[in-house]
Amino acid sequence: PGDTPLRKWLRAHLPQRELYIGTASNDPDNIRKVELDYIVMAKARRYAHFDCVTSIDAFNDCIKREGSLFGLKQCRSLLNDMKKCLADRTNHPDMIAKCRKEFLKEKDHFQRTGESIAENREQRTNAYWIKK
């Protein structure tokens, strides 16, 4: 049979099937952009909150003391310090590498066993939310 317009369009617009062979393997560096941008950075933000706990607590105390509306004006310097600390810790290359390694470990565990580490609430709580 000849090439129909639909086949021509599909061949022109869809990637070749051979590109997808082996992409689901346990390649240690097999990470998609969405996983890096969203999941790994979310982990980095969670860890940054532990590192910046003093500036976060200082800002929270200032807001409680001054009130929410006027407190934003009075506590502007503490807010800027908190934002700077969180941004510096989140975007630090070592933090991103640590979170990327942790995510790849979780992803490999899921691919081998079929169970997510995040499904276990107790493990998730112990991993992220206990203060150091």
Side-chain angles (χ1 to χ4, degrees), residues 42-53 55-56 85-91 95 99:
K43 284 180 178 292
R45 280 190 294 275
R46 279 190 222 123
Y47 282 125
H49 278 82
F50 290 126
D51 295 340
C52 300
V53 71
S55 60
I56 292 172
C85 179
L86 289 172
D88 289 346
R89 297 290 195 279
T90 301
N91 297 324
M95 177 68 76
C99 294

Side-chain angles (χ1 to χ4, degrees), residues 101-114:
K101 183 178 176 184
E102 184 178 312
F103 171 72
L104 286 172
K105 181 180 171 189
E106 291 175 6
K107 184 178 176 181
D108 181 51
H109 175 75
F110 178 75
Q111 286 177 345
R112 282 186 288 109
T113 63

Side-chain angles (χ1 to χ4, degrees), residues 12-56:
H13 291 87
L14 294 179
Q16 296 297 318
R17 181 172 168 77
E18 292 82 28
L19 293 176
Y20 291 110
I21 295 174
T23 56
S25 67
N26 292 336
D27 182 18
D29 241 5
N30 188 11
I31 189 165
R32 297 178 299 168
K33 182 170 174 33
V34 68
E35 292 170 339
L36 180 64
D37 289 346
Y38 180 72
I39 300 172
V40 174
M41 294 308 290
K43 284 180 178 292
R45 280 190 294 275
R46 279 190 222 123
Y47 282 125
H49 278 82
F50 290 126
D51 295 340
C52 300
V53 71
T54 55
S55 60
I56 292 172

Side-chain angles (χ1 to χ4, degrees), residues 70-86:
F70 295 109
L72 286 177
K73 186 173 183 180
Q74 300 295 326
C75 306
R76 178 69 61 188
S77 63
L78 293 173
L79 176 64
N80 291 336
D81 291 344
M82 181 183 71
K83 284 181 180 178
K84 185 178 184 309
C85 179
L86 289 172

